[in-house]
Structure formats: structure tokens, C-alpha cells
Amino acid sequence: MTNFLPMLRLPAAAALAALLAGCSMGSMFGGGQSAATNQSLQNATASPAAIAQAQSNALPAIATQCPPIKVRAGSEAMYYYGGGRVGDPKALQYQGVIDESSRNCVVSNGLITVNMGVAGRILLGPGGKQTSVNAPIRFAVERNGTAVFSEKYTIPVSVVPPAESAEFSKVIENVAIPYLGGEDITIWVGFDTKG
């Protein structure tokens, strides 16, 4: 089964990328300009009034950066054992793993609007005969150490015999985070098995 694991990751990563591809920050560097346009921009000078106007209309510094998305330590995998035999490899019924996480952002009017996603797998263990498993995934956003968004999602995953694993993905769209400038913002994702 381990020989097939790298191949299983590719479709999940491709699906996550396709889901998130619809929303992005766009071309930040304005590609496709002619050489004449570039030359005129290099030789341009701005009046003090034009500089003041541009500064008053400028987006916060985060406009060119999307907060990082991280898998919270200890929540990158989940394990389910049968018969109360926790830690016994032969009693492992299934495990879940997170393979990929991604996000993209749009910034305007003091808000960062984030789309975030995760892709992973459910793998049956020696004691596993499940055909359906729920993957409990939590997305959270922290600003300066305080949660400003936290939501748990239960993702149904079908394991169709004779397969012993199945992929899952989840995308959350349009999470708005107030931003004034200079805040430390982190997006977290992981399994939440605590109810």
C-alpha cells in the first residue's frame, strides 16, 4: 500500500489547487507592458501632491502578502483504534493525514478576505473495515494571538472496497478578517477529534 501513497497525493493536491485557483490576488507585477511603457515609468517623476495622494490611497502592507497557513502541531493526523486498545498497531481501524493546505487572499477596505483549503487521506488500518469515515477538520484564524475565526467541519469520506484509502478536501471561502496594519495573522488547520 505504501507504493501507491505518492500517487494518491497528486489528485488531492490538484483538486485543492483547482478549487482555490478561482480567487487570487491577480497579477501583482502588471506583466505584459510594452518596453515604451516601462521606459516612461522609469523616467517618470512625481510631484509632492501626487505622492501624498498615492500614500492616502495605498493599501496596507499585507496587500502583497497573504497570512501563512499552518497545520497546528499535534493535529496533523488522527487515529482510531478498536476495542479500547489505543496504541496497539493491530487494533488500528483507520488514520487520517493532512497532505496539503493552501490559502489565497484579497485585501480591500481594511479587510483581508481569505479562501483556505485542505486536502488529506483516510487510510484503513489492520483492523479497519469502514466504508465511511468522518474527518473532523478545524480552520482557525488568529490575529495577535486571539482567535478571530474558528469553525469545525465534518467531512464525510467514502472508502470504496477494495480500496484501503480515500482522499478528501475542503475549501472555506470568503472569511473576512479586519486588518488595520501591523497585526500578526496566522491561519491554522488540523484535525479536531475532541468534539
Side-chain angles (χ1 to χ4, degrees):
M1 186 166 71
T2 54
N3 292 340
F4 296 105
L5 293 182
M7 291 189 298
L8 290 174
R9 292 182 185 171
L10 293 176
L16 182 61
L19 288 170
L20 289 174
C23 301
S24 67
M25 294 178 67
S27 176
M28 296 186 335
F29 303 104
Q33 294 180 345
S34 69
T37 302
N38 288 337
Q39 186 65 35
S40 67
L41 289 174
Q42 289 174 354
N43 296 330
T45 57
S47 67
I51 293 171
Q53 177 66 29
Q55 287 175 339
S56 67
N57 291 337
L59 290 173
I62 197 82
T64 60
Q65 298 177 351
C66 201
I69 186 167
K70 300 178 180 180
V71 178
R72 195 174 293 277
S75 70
E76 58 278 328
M78 70 170 186
Y79 304 92
Y80 180 76
Y81 294 88
R85 295 161 47 197
V86 176
D88 180 356
K90 293 179 182 178
L92 178 65
Q93 293 193 9
Y94 62 84
Q95 69 181 38
V97 294
I98 292 176
D99 291 324
E100 301 285 338
S101 61
S102 186
R103 84 285 181 256
N104 60 38
C105 309
V106 174
V107 179
S108 87
N109 299 326
L111 287 177
I112 303 173
T113 303
V114 182
N115 293 345
M116 50 191 129
V118 66
R121 291 169 290 141
I122 298 295
L123 304 133
L124 296 182
K129 295 181 176 32
Q130 288 81 359
T131 57
S132 180
V133 173
N134 288 327
I137 297 290
R138 181 172 296 277
F139 288 90
V141 179
E142 284 183 346
R143 185 179 62 203
N144 294 333
T146 302
V148 293
F149 174 85
S150 181
E151 201 69 45
K152 181 178 177 179
Y153 300 88
T154 301
I155 305 164
V157 183
S158 295
V159 182
V160 180
E164 296 182 356
S165 67
E167 298 176 348
F168 67 87
S169 63
K170 180 70 175 174
V171 173
I172 309 303
E173 297 181 334
N174 300 321
V175 175
I177 306 163
Y179 179 77
L180 301 175
E183 293 98 331
D184 181 20
I185 299 173
T186 304
I187 303 165
W188 296 101
V189 65
F191 288 106
D192 182 352
T193 58
K194 296 181 181 175

